[in-house]
Amino acid sequence: RRVLRGWRGWAVALPALVVVLLGFGVPVLQLLAWSWQSRADLPGVGEAALNTALLAAMAAVGVLLLSLAFAGLARRSGGDPLVRAAGFTAGLGYAVPGTVLAVGAMWLLVAVEQAAPWLSALALSSSVAGVLLALCARFLRVGHEATETAFQALRPSLLESARLLGAPRWQRFHRVALPLLRPGLVAALLLVLVEVVKELPATLMLRPFGWDTLAVKIHGYTSEGLWAQAAWPALWLCLVGLLPVWWLVRQQR
């Protein structure tokens, strides 16, 4: 690598700086100006931010558990084609448009309610559980890819060496497997979290009445042309999305 100093360094850095300023800096400054005009709307946005964080955390944990199940089955089956095909099929939701998947999830939940009338009292087609089902189906591929990458770092020879040295099962997991898997699993959690906080169609169609997230708030305000009121949820969404990305970039250095 050549270290560029003086005007050469600035000549290389300036185009990248202009892109960041035009693509991020100027819009954020405009959002800050609008948010100051609508600062009285902050309490309502705080509730939507809490709903978003809660939904993202539940969906990320659900996707991680499903990804661990598929990755563990694939590892124990020795690469069985049926197991790999099941994992691939389960992740196809990421290739489907969000609106199409939300309509499919709603149709499925309504059909379940009609087939089992005793479930109609739960209102699955307009519940947080319905939203979580759609989100797990949509973003399972994101968590699955990161989890599989983490499992590739866990070579069987390491666990066998620990077993031959007399380490019990829980110690092999705690001292060998978990430290190797932790970075990939945390990355999977954060990637799914970033995707969920931005997701709109499934949340908009399946959420309970009055249960808004930041994306739903932004959609509602911008559809009415209320740009100043949409600034606060947009800033919160930027913050929630930037923190995991900052952590990932820091871990890669």
Side-chain angles (χ1 to χ4, degrees):
R1 295 181 179 179
R2 289 184 57 190
V3 179
L4 301 179
R5 303 184 185 281
W7 67 270
R8 292 184 179 86
W10 282 106
V12 172
L14 191 59
L17 183 62
V18 170
V19 171
V20 173
L21 287 175
L22 294 180
F24 181 76
V26 174
V28 167
L29 289 176
Q30 182 61 69
L31 288 176
L32 288 171
W34 279 337
S35 63
W36 180 252
Q37 298 175 12
S38 60
R39 54 189 179 275
D41 295 333
L42 184 57
V45 176
E47 183 181 353
L50 181 60
N51 292 340
T52 303
L54 227 81
L55 184 64
M58 291 188 292
V61 171
V63 168
L64 181 62
L65 292 177
L66 290 172
S67 302
L68 284 172
F70 279 112
L73 285 173
R75 191 178 181 88
R76 292 183 67 87
S77 65
D80 184 84
L82 290 178
V83 176
R84 294 181 66 86
F88 176 78
T89 305
L92 288 178
Y94 196 62
V96 179
T99 306
V100 175
L101 191 136
V103 171
M106 175 171 282
W107 178 85
L108 174 64
L109 294 172
V110 170
V112 169
E113 290 175 353
Q114 292 176 349
W118 58 275
L119 287 175
S120 59
L122 300 178
L124 294 176
S125 57
S126 58
S127 65
V128 177
V131 178
L132 286 174
L133 174 66
L135 293 178
C136 288
R138 175 132 176 82
F139 299 120
L140 179 60
R141 172 58 58 188
V142 179
H144 193 200
E145 291 291 337
T147 305
E148 280 191 335
T149 303
F151 268 87
Q152 290 174 4
L154 184 61
R155 299 193 300 274
S157 58
L158 297 175
L159 296 176
E160 288 298 323
S161 299
R163 186 177 66 84
L164 291 173
L165 290 172
R169 184 186 296 271
W170 68 268
Q171 201 170 22
R172 294 199 300 268
F173 172 78
H174 177 68
R175 301 185 62 182
V176 179
L178 189 58
L180 291 173
L181 293 176
R182 187 185 295 117
L185 298 184
V186 174
L189 275 172
L190 293 179
L191 288 172
V192 175
L193 189 143
V194 171
E195 293 284 358
V196 169
V197 297
K198 300 182 298 182
E199 199 281 335
L200 176 64
T203 310
L204 184 64
M205 295 180 64
L206 299 170
R207 79 194 195 282
F209 179 75
W211 201 85
D212 293 337
T213 62
L214 292 173
V216 172
K217 282 280 190 183
I218 295 170
H219 172 75
Y221 284 135
T222 54
S223 61
E224 298 292 335
L226 303 173
W227 305 105
Q229 284 79 359
W232 270 117
L235 284 174
W236 277 82
L237 194 61
C238 288
L239 178 63
V240 174
L242 279 176
L243 288 177
V245 173
W246 169 79
W247 188 90
L248 288 172
V249 171
R250 186 180 176 186
Q251 292 298 115
Q252 291 174 357
R253 290 181 177 177

